[in-house]
Amino acid sequence: TATVEKKERFGMDDAIEYLRGKGLDISKSTLYRHTSNGTIDFLRAGKRKVVFTEAQLNDFVDRMIR
C-alpha cells in the first residue's frame, strides 16, 4: 500500500476510498448523484473535474452516518 499523505483535494476515486475508510460504503455513481442533488459540497478543477476537500468529505460522512 502507498504511504498515506495528507491530501488537500480529493478526486472522485480518492474521495470514495476516503469515505469507505470512514465507514461509508459508497459507489462512484452514488457520489456523483449526491453532487448533482447538492447533498455534498464540492469544488471544480477546471470545467468538469469534481474535487472535494477533507472538510467537505467529513461533513458528508457526519450527515450520512447520523
Side-chain angles (χ1 to χ4, degrees):
T1 56
T3 309
V4 177
E5 58 185 68
K6 188 85 167 155
K7 292 180 71 83
E8 302 222 354
R9 299 282 186 267
F10 293 79
M12 190 59 72
D13 291 331
D14 288 335
I16 290 166
E17 190 175 317
Y18 182 84
L19 292 170
R20 287 179 176 164
K22 294 281 186 177
L24 189 63
D25 189 22
I26 193 166
S27 68
K28 186 182 279 193
S29 61
T30 300
L31 188 54
Y32 270 118
R33 192 167 64 247
H34 281 290
T35 63
S36 177
N37 293 344
T39 49
I40 185 170
D41 293 329
F42 64 95
L43 307 168
R44 287 213 185 267
K47 290 186 178 180
R48 296 182 51 105
K49 186 174 168 85
V50 172
V51 295
F52 306 91
T53 65
E54 187 171 1
Q56 288 169 328
L57 294 174
N58 287 334
D59 182 53
F60 180 69
V61 169
D62 290 344
R63 284 185 282 121
M64 291 295 116
I65 290 183
R66 256 190 234 147

